[in-house]
Amino acid sequence: MVAESQQQAREKYIAGDYSLGRLDVYGQRIHIQMTIPDKITGEMRVFRTAWMARPNGELVLVTPYGDDK
């Protein structure tokens, strides 16, 4: 699941499919929605994740959290 999350984040970041959060000396916070299958039901679940886009372009996962929207 970690590799899938990182891959989706990279693809969506490059495509511009994210929303901006706060910008500070540590970098730009961005929010990316991801879709991952539920292990039990197989239903697709949507997660809104928070990432830090560092000044050097590196993406770092800050806080994942579920969001059924």
Side-chain angles (χ1 to χ4, degrees):
M1 184 163 130
V2 172
E4 174 65 23
S5 295
Q6 291 172 335
Q7 180 66 28
Q8 279 191 46
R10 215 176 354 264
E11 291 172 0
K12 290 184 178 213
Y13 180 67
I14 291 169
D17 186 11
Y18 59 87
S19 60
L20 293 176
R22 187 177 60 178
L23 171 65
D24 60 22
V25 296
Y26 301 106
Q28 175 71 55
R29 287 165 180 75
I30 62 172
H31 303 284
I32 300 174
Q33 281 195 346
M34 296 187 189
T35 306
I36 299 174
D38 185 292
K39 287 183 178 182
I40 297 171
T41 66
E43 292 180 40
M44 297 305 281
R45 298 289 181 186
V46 176
F47 284 87
R48 185 170 183 234
T49 59
W51 298 77
M52 178 72 74
R54 302 275 188 207
N56 66 0
E58 177 186 20
L59 280 183
V60 179
L61 181 62
V62 179
T63 310
Y65 52 96
D67 187 9
D68 288 329
K69 295 180 182 177

